Amino acid sequence: MKIPKPLTNVIESFQKLPGIGPKTAQRLSYYLLHVPQTELEHFAESLSKLKKETVLCTICKNVSEYDPCPVCSDTKRDTNTILVVEQPLDVLAFERVGQYDGMYHVLHGAINPLENIGPDEIFIGDLLSRVKSASVESFGEVKEIIIATNPTMEGDATAMYIAKKIREITTNGEVVKITRLGMGVPTGADLEYADEATLREAIDGRRAI
Amino acid sequence: MKIPKPLTNVIESFQKLPGIGPKTAQRLSYYLLHVPQTELEHFAESLSKLKKETVLCTICKNVSEYDPCPVCSDTKRDTNTILVVEQPLDVLAFERVGQYDGMYHVLHGAINPLENIGPDEIFIGDLLSRVKSASVESFGEVKEIIIATNPTMEGDATAMYIAKKIREITTNGEVVKITRLGMGVPTGADLEYADEATLREAIDGRRAI
């Protein structure tokens, strides 16, 4: 017995999503058979509109309904600091904390030679021209760049590359402070299970209390 | 900062699916931003066609493209046996094994008083009339009904109810054998971790070797 074609189509679409295997895809698709048609249409419509009705903010490259995005057009925020992240979801994580009130820059990835992602495939160039043009117009001058790429091989390499490039373009007098997120043991962690690299970072980054 | 509306719509749709929480829904939705528009349209179309292009087989109530479904219209299968399951996915599980070559009947649920699902909310009546009409027409007479509802409280209650009802309608001479799937320890299990109910069933259902 074969699964009916309309079902296989849905199963295949679900299976392409990250973290969803064949079994889960089947379960989700069969579940949808019990859902009212109006809800299915709503789901379908939201999918087809997802990219049509969103844009990348020309300033920070975050996903947004409007351009510039709510953060970049918010006059109450500190334009002197740019926090650089890999993904739009990372912006959400920082906004949930509510402590940071500067600008963002979303790279949409990290340098990853194994997957053929070089500096030109992600929005590093845009970050550099943002820093450059801000200093030329001396309006909203960038004083600090916080690099908050993921603490992985790729994220670290991207951070190093960005720091190097920014130092290159800001040699003419002005000083841009470049920082990286603090690293160490996360809150609530069990030291017994912390890996060596994390503990090494935690010792290096120790602070006086 | 708020998540753009087109994204929230997709997130909400994903979140309604079983086993998908807010975090996973967010991750999946943001992932879809990197997917080509054609693929999104394909996903959307498959969702909106899912229910329009499938029917429930009038005989076995399984989901199918055609009516009657491939199993019910397959003349090579044994029409004397009906295997009763809760969900269409259960049919798939048995078909994957390939050992069973009789007919199926899909209940689309189990009796569950807590969720207001009584015998009339699932396809029990259709099963009974199937058994009755088969015996009247004495064509494809039903000789055995294998009840393969889940080994849960609800599944057991449903099995008992069906057995009782079938005995009621088949008092006029003919005998329909009613069986329940064998229960016990599953292949590959570790006895140490088997629960009491399972071990009790395993002892009750012991077989000579």
Side-chain angles (χ1 to χ4, degrees), chain A residues 1 3 5-6 10 13 17-18 23 26 30-33 35 37 40-41 43-44 46-48 51-52 63 65 88-89 92 95-96, chain B residues 1 5-6 10 13 16 18 23 26 30-33 35 37 40-41 43-44 46-48 51-52 63 65 88-89 92 95-96:
Chain A
M1 201 199 73
I3 302 178
K5 186 79 186 133
V10 178
S13 293
L17 299 174
K23 284 268 174 171
Q26 263 188 16
Y30 273 91
Y31 169 84
L32 286 176
L33 285 170
V35 155
Q37 181 64 25
L40 285 179
E41 297 289 357
F43 194 173
S46 68
L47 282 173
S48 96
K51 283 178 62 156
K52 282 185 213 153
V63 181
E65 250 175 304
L89 268 175
L92 274 188
E95 285 298 291
R96 257 199 306 273
Chain B
M1 200 199 74
K5 187 78 186 132
V10 178
S13 293
K16 285 181 190 154
K23 283 267 172 172
Q26 261 187 18
Y30 274 90
Y31 169 84
L32 286 176
L33 285 171
V35 155
Q37 181 65 23
L40 285 179
E41 296 288 356
F43 194 173
S46 68
L47 281 173
S48 96
K51 283 178 57 153
K52 282 186 212 153
V63 182
E65 249 176 303
L89 268 175
L92 274 187
E95 286 297 291
R96 257 200 307 272

Short mmCIF file of all heavy atoms in Angstrom, two decimals, chain A residues 1 3 5-6 10 13 17-18 23 26 30-33 35 37 40-41 43-44 46-48 51-52 63 65 88-89 92 95-96, chain B residues 1 5-6 10 13 16 18 23 26 30-33 35 37 40-41 43-44 46-48 51-52 63 65 88-89 92 95-96:
data_model
loop_
_atom_site.label_atom_id
_atom_site.label_comp_id
_atom_site.label_asym_id
_atom_site.label_seq_id
_atom_site.Cartn_x
_atom_site.Cartn_y
_atom_site.Cartn_z
N MET A 1 0.83 -1.20 0.00
CA MET A 1 0.00 0.00 0.00
C MET A 1 0.87 1.25 0.00
O MET A 1 1.80 1.37 0.78
CB MET A 1 -0.89 0.01 1.25
CG MET A 1 -2.09 0.90 1.10
SD MET A 1 -2.79 1.35 2.70
CE MET A 1 -1.59 2.51 3.32
N ILE A 3 1.30 5.49 0.35
CA ILE A 3 0.68 6.66 0.97
C ILE A 3 0.11 7.52 -0.16
O ILE A 3 0.77 7.72 -1.18
CB ILE A 3 1.73 7.46 1.77
CG1 ILE A 3 2.35 6.55 2.84
CG2 ILE A 3 1.11 8.69 2.40
CD1 ILE A 3 3.43 7.23 3.65
N LYS A 5 -0.77 10.39 -2.70
CA LYS A 5 0.11 11.45 -3.21
C LYS A 5 -0.04 12.79 -2.46
O LYS A 5 0.98 13.40 -2.07
CB LYS A 5 -0.14 11.65 -4.71
CG LYS A 5 0.81 12.61 -5.40
CD LYS A 5 2.15 11.97 -5.70
CE LYS A 5 3.12 13.01 -6.26
NZ LYS A 5 4.43 12.95 -5.63
N PRO A 6 -1.27 13.28 -2.23
CA PRO A 6 -1.40 14.57 -1.53
C PRO A 6 -0.73 14.53 -0.15
O PRO A 6 -0.17 15.53 0.31
CB PRO A 6 -2.92 14.75 -1.38
CG PRO A 6 -3.50 13.90 -2.46
CD PRO A 6 -2.58 12.73 -2.62
N VAL A 10 2.92 16.65 1.38
CA VAL A 10 3.04 17.37 2.64
C VAL A 10 4.18 16.77 3.47
O VAL A 10 4.99 17.50 4.05
CB VAL A 10 1.71 17.34 3.43
CG1 VAL A 10 1.85 18.05 4.76
CG2 VAL A 10 0.60 17.98 2.62
N SER A 13 7.49 17.97 2.22
CA SER A 13 7.75 19.36 2.58
C SER A 13 8.20 19.48 4.03
O SER A 13 9.13 20.22 4.35
CB SER A 13 6.50 20.22 2.35
OG SER A 13 6.22 20.30 0.98
N LEU A 17 12.45 20.35 6.51
CA LEU A 17 12.73 21.29 7.60
C LEU A 17 13.79 20.71 8.53
O LEU A 17 13.87 19.49 8.70
CB LEU A 17 11.44 21.58 8.37
CG LEU A 17 10.32 22.23 7.57
CD1 LEU A 17 9.06 22.33 8.42
CD2 LEU A 17 10.74 23.60 7.11
N PRO A 18 14.61 21.58 9.14
CA PRO A 18 15.68 21.07 10.00
C PRO A 18 15.12 20.41 11.25
O PRO A 18 14.20 20.94 11.87
CB PRO A 18 16.47 22.34 10.35
CG PRO A 18 15.50 23.46 10.18
CD PRO A 18 14.57 23.05 9.08
N LYS A 23 9.63 10.15 10.29
CA LYS A 23 8.54 9.75 11.19
C LYS A 23 7.73 10.95 11.66
O LYS A 23 6.51 10.93 11.66
CB LYS A 23 9.12 9.03 12.43
CG LYS A 23 9.55 7.62 12.16
CD LYS A 23 8.42 6.65 12.43
CE LYS A 23 8.83 5.25 12.00
NZ LYS A 23 7.88 4.23 12.43
N GLN A 26 5.62 12.37 8.89
CA GLN A 26 4.40 11.56 8.70
C GLN A 26 3.35 11.91 9.75
O GLN A 26 2.19 12.13 9.44
CB GLN A 26 4.74 10.08 8.84
CG GLN A 26 4.98 9.36 7.55
CD GLN A 26 5.12 7.87 7.76
OE1 GLN A 26 4.76 7.32 8.80
NE2 GLN A 26 5.65 7.21 6.76
N TYR A 30 -0.34 13.49 8.89
CA TYR A 30 -1.59 12.79 9.20
C TYR A 30 -2.40 13.57 10.20
O TYR A 30 -3.63 13.55 10.16
CB TYR A 30 -1.30 11.37 9.71
CG TYR A 30 -1.17 10.36 8.60
CD1 TYR A 30 0.05 10.08 8.03
CD2 TYR A 30 -2.30 9.71 8.10
CE1 TYR A 30 0.18 9.17 6.99
CE2 TYR A 30 -2.18 8.79 7.05
CZ TYR A 30 -0.94 8.53 6.51
OH TYR A 30 -0.83 7.64 5.48
N TYR A 31 -1.71 14.28 11.10
CA TYR A 31 -2.43 15.12 12.06
C TYR A 31 -3.23 16.19 11.32
O TYR A 31 -4.37 16.48 11.66
CB TYR A 31 -1.46 15.76 13.04
CG TYR A 31 -2.08 16.85 13.89
CD1 TYR A 31 -2.78 16.53 15.05
CD2 TYR A 31 -2.00 18.19 13.50
CE1 TYR A 31 -3.37 17.53 15.80
CE2 TYR A 31 -2.59 19.18 14.26
CZ TYR A 31 -3.27 18.85 15.41
OH TYR A 31 -3.86 19.83 16.15
N LEU A 32 -2.63 16.77 10.30
CA LEU A 32 -3.28 17.86 9.56
C LEU A 32 -4.57 17.41 8.87
O LEU A 32 -5.41 18.25 8.53
CB LEU A 32 -2.31 18.46 8.54
CG LEU A 32 -1.21 19.33 9.13
CD1 LEU A 32 -0.25 19.79 8.05
CD2 LEU A 32 -1.81 20.54 9.83
N LEU A 33 -4.74 16.12 8.66
CA LEU A 33 -5.98 15.61 8.06
C LEU A 33 -7.18 15.90 8.95
O LEU A 33 -8.32 15.95 8.48
CB LEU A 33 -5.88 14.10 7.82
CG LEU A 33 -5.01 13.65 6.64
CD1 LEU A 33 -4.83 12.15 6.68
CD2 LEU A 33 -5.66 14.07 5.33
N VAL A 35 -7.51 18.59 10.79
CA VAL A 35 -7.59 20.03 11.02
C VAL A 35 -8.59 20.63 10.00
O VAL A 35 -8.65 20.17 8.87
CB VAL A 35 -6.16 20.62 10.85
CG1 VAL A 35 -6.18 22.06 10.46
CG2 VAL A 35 -5.36 20.38 12.11
N GLN A 37 -10.32 22.75 7.08
CA GLN A 37 -9.74 23.25 5.83
C GLN A 37 -9.32 24.72 5.95
O GLN A 37 -8.28 25.12 5.44
CB GLN A 37 -10.73 23.07 4.68
CG GLN A 37 -10.25 23.52 3.31
CD GLN A 37 -9.06 22.70 2.81
OE1 GLN A 37 -8.86 21.55 3.20
NE2 GLN A 37 -8.25 23.31 1.95
N LEU A 40 -5.96 25.00 7.37
CA LEU A 40 -4.94 24.60 6.40
C LEU A 40 -4.68 25.75 5.42
O LEU A 40 -3.54 26.04 5.09
CB LEU A 40 -5.40 23.36 5.63
CG LEU A 40 -5.34 22.03 6.37
CD1 LEU A 40 -5.85 20.91 5.48
CD2 LEU A 40 -3.91 21.73 6.79
N GLU A 41 -5.77 26.39 4.97
CA GLU A 41 -5.62 27.50 4.03
C GLU A 41 -4.85 28.64 4.68
O GLU A 41 -4.02 29.30 4.05
CB GLU A 41 -7.01 28.02 3.58
CG GLU A 41 -7.85 27.00 2.82
CD GLU A 41 -7.33 26.72 1.42
OE1 GLU A 41 -6.35 27.35 1.01
OE2 GLU A 41 -7.91 25.83 0.74
N PHE A 43 -2.61 28.39 7.09
CA PHE A 43 -1.22 27.94 7.17
C PHE A 43 -0.57 28.14 5.79
O PHE A 43 0.53 28.73 5.67
CB PHE A 43 -1.19 26.47 7.57
CG PHE A 43 0.15 25.95 8.01
CD1 PHE A 43 0.26 24.66 8.54
CD2 PHE A 43 1.30 26.71 7.92
CE1 PHE A 43 1.49 24.16 8.95
CE2 PHE A 43 2.54 26.21 8.34
CZ PHE A 43 2.63 24.93 8.85
N ALA A 44 -1.26 27.68 4.73
CA ALA A 44 -0.73 27.77 3.37
C ALA A 44 -0.47 29.23 2.99
O ALA A 44 0.59 29.57 2.45
CB ALA A 44 -1.70 27.12 2.39
N SER A 46 -0.02 31.82 4.97
CA SER A 46 1.07 32.42 5.74
C SER A 46 2.42 32.00 5.19
O SER A 46 3.36 32.79 5.19
CB SER A 46 0.94 32.06 7.22
OG SER A 46 1.17 30.70 7.43
N LEU A 47 2.51 30.77 4.70
CA LEU A 47 3.77 30.30 4.11
C LEU A 47 4.09 31.05 2.83
O LEU A 47 5.21 31.49 2.61
CB LEU A 47 3.70 28.80 3.81
CG LEU A 47 3.86 27.86 5.00
CD1 LEU A 47 3.60 26.43 4.57
CD2 LEU A 47 5.24 27.98 5.60
N SER A 48 3.06 31.20 1.97
CA SER A 48 3.36 31.80 0.68
C SER A 48 3.60 33.31 0.82
O SER A 48 4.28 33.92 0.00
CB SER A 48 2.25 31.48 -0.34
OG SER A 48 1.33 32.51 -0.43
N LYS A 51 7.81 35.31 2.69
CA LYS A 51 8.91 36.07 2.11
C LYS A 51 8.43 37.28 1.32
O LYS A 51 9.14 38.28 1.23
CB LYS A 51 9.76 35.15 1.24
CG LYS A 51 10.66 34.26 2.10
CD LYS A 51 11.47 33.30 1.31
CE LYS A 51 12.42 33.96 0.36
NZ LYS A 51 13.57 33.07 0.04
N LYS A 52 7.20 37.18 0.76
CA LYS A 52 6.69 38.30 -0.04
C LYS A 52 6.47 39.54 0.82
O LYS A 52 6.65 40.66 0.36
CB LYS A 52 5.36 37.90 -0.68
CG LYS A 52 5.50 37.00 -1.90
CD LYS A 52 4.13 36.78 -2.54
CE LYS A 52 4.01 35.42 -3.16
NZ LYS A 52 2.62 34.95 -3.19
N VAL A 63 15.34 40.83 9.44
CA VAL A 63 14.07 40.60 8.75
C VAL A 63 13.03 41.53 9.35
O VAL A 63 12.93 41.65 10.56
CB VAL A 63 13.60 39.14 8.95
CG1 VAL A 63 12.31 38.91 8.21
CG2 VAL A 63 14.67 38.19 8.49
N GLU A 65 9.06 43.89 8.53
CA GLU A 65 7.92 44.20 7.67
C GLU A 65 8.17 45.49 6.93
O GLU A 65 7.71 45.69 5.83
CB GLU A 65 6.68 44.35 8.54
CG GLU A 65 5.66 43.24 8.37
CD GLU A 65 4.54 43.45 9.37
OE1 GLU A 65 4.82 43.54 10.59
OE2 GLU A 65 3.39 43.55 8.94
N PRO A 88 18.78 36.41 12.53
CA PRO A 88 17.71 37.26 13.07
C PRO A 88 17.21 36.78 14.43
O PRO A 88 16.86 37.58 15.29
CB PRO A 88 16.59 37.14 12.03
CG PRO A 88 17.28 36.79 10.76
CD PRO A 88 18.46 35.96 11.15
N LEU A 89 17.22 35.45 14.66
CA LEU A 89 16.76 34.92 15.94
C LEU A 89 17.64 35.38 17.09
O LEU A 89 17.18 35.48 18.24
CB LEU A 89 16.73 33.39 15.91
CG LEU A 89 15.41 32.75 15.49
CD1 LEU A 89 15.56 31.24 15.40
CD2 LEU A 89 14.31 33.09 16.49
N LEU A 92 16.39 38.58 18.43
CA LEU A 92 15.26 38.33 19.33
C LEU A 92 15.74 37.96 20.72
O LEU A 92 15.18 38.41 21.72
CB LEU A 92 14.42 37.18 18.80
CG LEU A 92 13.36 37.50 17.77
CD1 LEU A 92 12.52 36.26 17.53
CD2 LEU A 92 12.47 38.63 18.28
N GLU A 95 16.85 41.01 22.47
CA GLU A 95 15.73 41.91 22.74
C GLU A 95 14.88 41.38 23.90
O GLU A 95 14.27 42.15 24.64
CB GLU A 95 14.87 42.09 21.49
CG GLU A 95 15.52 42.99 20.45
CD GLU A 95 15.73 44.40 20.98
OE1 GLU A 95 14.74 45.11 21.18
OE2 GLU A 95 16.90 44.79 21.21
N ARG A 96 14.84 40.05 24.03
CA ARG A 96 14.09 39.46 25.14
C ARG A 96 14.71 39.86 26.47
O ARG A 96 14.01 40.09 27.45
CB ARG A 96 14.08 37.94 25.02
CG ARG A 96 12.77 37.37 24.50
CD ARG A 96 12.64 35.90 24.83
NE ARG A 96 13.79 35.13 24.37
CZ ARG A 96 13.91 34.61 23.16
NH1 ARG A 96 12.94 34.75 22.28
NH2 ARG A 96 14.97 33.92 22.81
N MET B 1 11.20 45.00 20.61
CA MET B 1 11.09 44.68 19.18
C MET B 1 10.11 43.53 18.98
O MET B 1 10.17 42.52 19.67
CB MET B 1 12.45 44.27 18.62
CG MET B 1 12.52 44.38 17.12
SD MET B 1 13.89 43.40 16.44
CE MET B 1 13.26 41.75 16.61
N LYS B 5 4.83 40.54 11.48
CA LYS B 5 3.56 39.82 11.39
C LYS B 5 3.60 38.58 10.47
O LYS B 5 3.11 37.51 10.86
CB LYS B 5 2.47 40.81 10.93
CG LYS B 5 1.04 40.25 10.95
CD LYS B 5 0.46 40.21 12.35
CE LYS B 5 -0.90 39.52 12.34
NZ LYS B 5 -1.04 38.52 13.40
N PRO B 6 4.16 38.70 9.25
CA PRO B 6 4.18 37.51 8.38
C PRO B 6 4.89 36.33 9.04
O PRO B 6 4.51 35.18 8.84
CB PRO B 6 4.94 37.98 7.14
CG PRO B 6 4.81 39.47 7.15
CD PRO B 6 4.76 39.87 8.59
N VAL B 10 3.31 32.41 10.53
CA VAL B 10 3.88 31.08 10.27
C VAL B 10 4.20 30.40 11.59
O VAL B 10 3.91 29.21 11.79
CB VAL B 10 5.13 31.18 9.38
CG1 VAL B 10 5.74 29.81 9.16
CG2 VAL B 10 4.78 31.82 8.05
N SER B 13 1.13 29.01 13.15
CA SER B 13 0.64 27.81 12.48
C SER B 13 1.46 26.58 12.88
O SER B 13 0.90 25.51 13.14
CB SER B 13 0.69 27.99 10.96
OG SER B 13 -0.22 28.97 10.55
N LYS B 16 0.72 25.13 16.39
CA LYS B 16 -0.51 24.35 16.59
C LYS B 16 -0.29 22.87 16.34
O LYS B 16 -1.13 22.05 16.69
CB LYS B 16 -1.60 24.86 15.63
CG LYS B 16 -2.22 26.17 16.07
CD LYS B 16 -3.30 26.60 15.12
CE LYS B 16 -3.74 28.02 15.40
NZ LYS B 16 -4.30 28.65 14.20
N PRO B 18 1.21 19.09 16.79
CA PRO B 18 1.56 18.35 18.01
C PRO B 18 3.06 18.17 18.14
O PRO B 18 3.75 17.86 17.18
CB PRO B 18 0.87 16.99 17.79
CG PRO B 18 0.72 16.87 16.31
CD PRO B 18 0.54 18.25 15.78
N LYS B 23 9.63 27.49 20.68
CA LYS B 23 11.01 27.63 20.23
C LYS B 23 11.21 26.96 18.87
O LYS B 23 11.82 27.52 17.97
CB LYS B 23 11.97 27.00 21.25
CG LYS B 23 12.18 27.85 22.47
CD LYS B 23 13.40 28.73 22.30
CE LYS B 23 13.47 29.70 23.46
NZ LYS B 23 14.70 30.48 23.48
N GLN B 26 9.54 28.87 16.11
CA GLN B 26 10.34 30.04 15.71
C GLN B 26 11.49 29.62 14.80
O GLN B 26 11.72 30.20 13.74
CB GLN B 26 10.95 30.68 16.95
CG GLN B 26 10.21 31.89 17.45
CD GLN B 26 10.97 32.58 18.57
OE1 GLN B 26 12.15 32.39 18.77
NE2 GLN B 26 10.25 33.38 19.32
N TYR B 30 11.94 30.87 10.91
CA TYR B 30 13.09 31.65 10.47
C TYR B 30 13.89 30.88 9.43
O TYR B 30 14.47 31.47 8.52
CB TYR B 30 13.98 32.05 11.65
CG TYR B 30 13.53 33.33 12.31
CD1 TYR B 30 12.63 33.31 13.36
CD2 TYR B 30 13.98 34.57 11.86
CE1 TYR B 30 12.19 34.49 13.95
CE2 TYR B 30 13.54 35.74 12.45
CZ TYR B 30 12.66 35.70 13.50
OH TYR B 30 12.22 36.86 14.07
N TYR B 31 13.92 29.55 9.57
CA TYR B 31 14.61 28.74 8.57
C TYR B 31 13.98 28.93 7.20
O TYR B 31 14.67 29.04 6.19
CB TYR B 31 14.57 27.26 8.98
CG TYR B 31 15.03 26.33 7.88
CD1 TYR B 31 16.38 26.07 7.68
CD2 TYR B 31 14.11 25.72 7.02
CE1 TYR B 31 16.81 25.24 6.66
CE2 TYR B 31 14.53 24.89 5.99
CZ TYR B 31 15.88 24.65 5.82
OH TYR B 31 16.29 23.84 4.81
N LEU B 32 12.64 28.97 7.17
CA LEU B 32 11.93 29.08 5.90
C LEU B 32 12.24 30.38 5.15
O LEU B 32 12.03 30.48 3.95
CB LEU B 32 10.42 28.95 6.12
CG LEU B 32 9.93 27.54 6.43
CD1 LEU B 32 8.44 27.54 6.73
CD2 LEU B 32 10.22 26.61 5.26
N LEU B 33 12.75 31.38 5.88
CA LEU B 33 13.13 32.64 5.22
C LEU B 33 14.26 32.43 4.23
O LEU B 33 14.43 33.20 3.29
CB LEU B 33 13.57 33.67 6.27
CG LEU B 33 12.47 34.31 7.09
CD1 LEU B 33 13.08 35.12 8.22
CD2 LEU B 33 11.60 35.20 6.22
N VAL B 35 14.59 29.73 2.37
CA VAL B 35 14.16 28.74 1.38
C VAL B 35 13.63 29.48 0.15
O VAL B 35 13.01 30.53 0.29
CB VAL B 35 13.08 27.84 2.06
CG1 VAL B 35 12.15 27.22 1.06
CG2 VAL B 35 13.75 26.81 2.94
N GLN B 37 11.34 30.88 -2.83
CA GLN B 37 9.90 31.13 -2.84
C GLN B 37 9.13 29.97 -3.49
O GLN B 37 8.06 29.59 -3.02
CB GLN B 37 9.61 32.44 -3.56
CG GLN B 37 8.13 32.84 -3.63
CD GLN B 37 7.54 33.14 -2.25
OE1 GLN B 37 8.24 33.47 -1.31
NE2 GLN B 37 6.23 32.99 -2.13
N LEU B 40 8.42 27.36 -1.02
CA LEU B 40 7.37 27.79 -0.08
C LEU B 40 6.00 27.62 -0.73
O LEU B 40 5.05 27.16 -0.10
CB LEU B 40 7.57 29.25 0.32
CG LEU B 40 8.69 29.54 1.32
CD1 LEU B 40 8.75 31.03 1.59
CD2 LEU B 40 8.44 28.80 2.62
N GLU B 41 5.90 28.01 -2.01
CA GLU B 41 4.62 27.90 -2.72
C GLU B 41 4.21 26.43 -2.83
O GLU B 41 3.04 26.08 -2.70
CB GLU B 41 4.73 28.49 -4.14
CG GLU B 41 5.04 29.98 -4.18
CD GLU B 41 3.85 30.84 -3.75
OE1 GLU B 41 2.76 30.30 -3.49
OE2 GLU B 41 4.03 32.07 -3.66
N PHE B 43 5.04 24.00 -0.76
CA PHE B 43 4.61 23.60 0.58
C PHE B 43 3.17 24.08 0.81
O PHE B 43 2.28 23.31 1.22
CB PHE B 43 5.56 24.20 1.61
CG PHE B 43 5.47 23.63 3.00
CD1 PHE B 43 6.40 24.00 3.98
CD2 PHE B 43 4.49 22.72 3.36
CE1 PHE B 43 6.34 23.48 5.26
CE2 PHE B 43 4.43 22.19 4.64
CZ PHE B 43 5.34 22.58 5.59
N ALA B 44 2.93 25.36 0.49
CA ALA B 44 1.61 25.96 0.70
C ALA B 44 0.54 25.21 -0.11
O ALA B 44 -0.52 24.88 0.41
CB ALA B 44 1.64 27.44 0.30
N SER B 46 0.64 22.14 -1.27
CA SER B 46 0.41 20.77 -0.79
C SER B 46 -0.47 20.78 0.45
O SER B 46 -1.30 19.89 0.64
CB SER B 46 1.74 20.08 -0.51
OG SER B 46 2.40 20.65 0.59
N LEU B 47 -0.33 21.84 1.28
CA LEU B 47 -1.17 21.92 2.48
C LEU B 47 -2.63 22.18 2.10
O LEU B 47 -3.53 21.54 2.63
CB LEU B 47 -0.68 23.06 3.38
CG LEU B 47 0.54 22.78 4.24
CD1 LEU B 47 0.97 24.05 4.94
CD2 LEU B 47 0.25 21.69 5.26
N SER B 48 -2.83 23.11 1.15
CA SER B 48 -4.21 23.46 0.85
C SER B 48 -4.89 22.34 0.06
O SER B 48 -6.11 22.19 0.10
CB SER B 48 -4.28 24.81 0.13
OG SER B 48 -4.34 24.65 -1.23
N LYS B 51 -6.45 18.01 2.08
CA LYS B 51 -7.76 17.43 2.35
C LYS B 51 -8.66 17.44 1.12
O LYS B 51 -9.52 16.56 0.98
CB LYS B 51 -8.43 18.19 3.51
CG LYS B 51 -7.81 17.75 4.83
CD LYS B 51 -8.37 18.48 6.02
CE LYS B 51 -9.84 18.37 6.18
NZ LYS B 51 -10.26 18.52 7.58
N LYS B 52 -8.44 18.41 0.21
CA LYS B 52 -9.29 18.48 -0.98
C LYS B 52 -9.09 17.26 -1.87
O LYS B 52 -10.03 16.80 -2.52
CB LYS B 52 -8.95 19.74 -1.78
CG LYS B 52 -9.52 21.02 -1.22
CD LYS B 52 -9.24 22.18 -2.16
CE LYS B 52 -9.06 23.48 -1.43
NZ LYS B 52 -8.20 24.40 -2.17
N VAL B 63 -7.55 6.89 4.79
CA VAL B 63 -7.36 8.03 3.91
C VAL B 63 -6.83 7.53 2.58
O VAL B 63 -5.92 6.70 2.55
CB VAL B 63 -6.32 8.99 4.52
CG1 VAL B 63 -6.15 10.20 3.63
CG2 VAL B 63 -6.76 9.40 5.90
N GLU B 65 -6.55 8.39 -2.01
CA GLU B 65 -6.77 9.27 -3.15
C GLU B 65 -8.04 8.85 -3.88
O GLU B 65 -8.74 9.66 -4.46
CB GLU B 65 -5.58 9.15 -4.10
CG GLU B 65 -4.72 10.38 -4.18
CD GLU B 65 -3.53 10.11 -5.05
OE1 GLU B 65 -2.78 9.15 -4.74
OE2 GLU B 65 -3.35 10.82 -6.04
N PRO B 88 -4.93 6.03 10.55
CA PRO B 88 -4.39 5.63 9.25
C PRO B 88 -2.91 5.23 9.33
O PRO B 88 -2.47 4.34 8.62
CB PRO B 88 -4.56 6.88 8.39
CG PRO B 88 -5.68 7.63 9.00
CD PRO B 88 -5.58 7.36 10.47
N LEU B 89 -2.15 5.90 10.22
CA LEU B 89 -0.73 5.58 10.34
C LEU B 89 -0.51 4.15 10.83
O LEU B 89 0.52 3.54 10.52
CB LEU B 89 -0.04 6.55 11.30
CG LEU B 89 0.58 7.80 10.69
CD1 LEU B 89 1.11 8.71 11.77
CD2 LEU B 89 1.70 7.42 9.73
N LEU B 92 -0.36 1.86 7.93
CA LEU B 92 0.97 1.93 7.32
C LEU B 92 1.96 1.03 8.05
O LEU B 92 2.77 0.34 7.43
CB LEU B 92 1.50 3.36 7.38
CG LEU B 92 1.13 4.31 6.27
CD1 LEU B 92 1.90 5.60 6.43
CD2 LEU B 92 1.43 3.69 4.92
N GLU B 95 1.33 -2.48 7.07
CA GLU B 95 1.67 -2.72 5.67
C GLU B 95 3.19 -2.77 5.49
O GLU B 95 3.69 -3.47 4.61
CB GLU B 95 1.07 -1.64 4.78
CG GLU B 95 -0.43 -1.77 4.59
CD GLU B 95 -0.80 -3.09 3.89
OE1 GLU B 95 -0.49 -3.22 2.70
OE2 GLU B 95 -1.37 -3.97 4.56
N ARG B 96 3.91 -2.03 6.34
CA ARG B 96 5.37 -2.08 6.26
C ARG B 96 5.89 -3.47 6.60
O ARG B 96 6.87 -3.93 6.02
CB ARG B 96 5.96 -1.05 7.23
CG ARG B 96 6.46 0.21 6.57
CD ARG B 96 7.45 0.96 7.44
NE ARG B 96 6.90 1.22 8.77
CZ ARG B 96 6.18 2.30 9.09
NH1 ARG B 96 5.91 3.21 8.18
NH2 ARG B 96 5.72 2.48 10.31
#
